[in-house]
Amino acid sequence: MRIDLHTHAKLSKASDFSTAYYEEMIREAVANGLDAVALTEHFNTRRFFEVYENLDRMYPYNGEYYEAGSLKIFPGMEVDIRETGHILLIGRKEHILEARRHLETYTEKGRFIPFADLLTLAEAYPLLKIGAHPFRASTPLHHLDPAELRRLDAFDLNAKDMYEYGSEANRERVERFAAALGKPVTAGSDTHQCLQYGSVFNELNHPCGSVAELKQAIASGAYDIHVADSLPLQVKASVMLKKLLKRLAQLETESPAPAVAIGESSPQGA
């Protein structure tokens, strides 16, 4: 079972959820050989709860994951902490949504939840807890208290960081850091677009139908990480695509279609 444990549903935090956009992403995930993804959308994204309201309309949910054809979508979210850093939480939809409600007062920069408090909140539910991109310059985790870091289940080997800092160098650094804490490493593309799927993923030794099974497989080391030779090209193309799409969205906002007065004909060819 091939699973990407760090993915997003939207282009950016500021964008609205688009059914067509996410359906295209899912098609590409399947085309790139994935059997499952964890949807770890930012907890303070615009209209967070609407993401799951839309998924409920798009795909059946069986109590553990959404069934998007052959692809399993495990619910989750990516949470900012006060000390700087991102934590991935993955679990049943009801647990993710309940935990998110407890974070409602912590969504603004400067008011993020302290790391220890987030861990205590997450431990109230059977969630998979992964430290995202621990050596990313903007949101590192390596500076945090080792005793608190050991409360996590794993650390994220992130496609964006492998591109930014060098694939082998970043992987060695993350694996050495995780090993010192007695924790495994899992792979995540961190994709916001369709082009990055398959750049890095986890291949489990057997299928997992629940987050509890995922946690067990990760804890026991019953998986391998695969890094595609095309990772640098995929991430570079994704970065360029994201910039282009955000610019197009900005232009649409700045230059809305001219209004047509009642009774006035539309311009020729409109």
Side-chain angles (χ1 to χ4, degrees), residues 241-256:
L241 176 61
K242 183 174 182 179
K243 288 180 179 179
L244 175 61
L245 292 175
K246 290 177 74 172
R247 180 56 180 155
L248 288 173
Q250 181 182 358
L251 289 173
E252 288 179 359
T253 302
E254 294 173 351
S255 305

Side-chain angles (χ1 to χ4, degrees), residues 101-216:
R101 292 186 187 99
H102 285 289
L103 295 170
E104 191 60 42
T105 59
Y106 295 105
T107 58
E108 296 179 10
K109 190 174 183 179
R111 299 184 62 186
F112 295 146
I113 189 169
F115 183 37
D117 291 352
L118 176 64
L119 291 170
T120 299
L121 171 63
E123 287 165 354
Y125 308 95
L127 303 178
L128 174 60
K129 307 178 297 296
I130 300 174
H133 36 72
F135 287 95
R136 184 170 296 179
S138 59
T139 52
L141 293 174
H142 58 81
H143 62 296
L144 300 177
D145 182 353
E148 301 295 350
L149 289 168
R150 289 190 182 96
R151 295 169 69 183
L152 296 171
D153 297 305
F155 290 93
D156 173 42
L157 181 64
N158 190 279
K160 290 183 179 179
D161 288 6
M162 297 178 80
Y163 169 71
E164 182 71 21
Y165 307 124
S167 182
E168 292 303 320
N170 181 251
R171 182 170 186 174
E172 180 182 355
R173 196 176 189 189
V174 173
E175 289 181 342
R176 184 169 62 247
F177 174 71
L181 294 167
K183 296 296 175 179
V185 171
T186 58
S189 69
D190 201 359
T191 187
H192 287 257
Q193 312 83 28
C194 61
L195 299 180
Q196 213 161 293
Y197 284 119
S199 57
V200 61
F201 59 87
N202 311 276
E203 185 161 16
L204 307 179
N205 294 354
H206 52 79
C208 292
S210 69
V211 170
E213 291 178 357
L214 282 175
K215 288 183 70 171
Q216 178 59 35

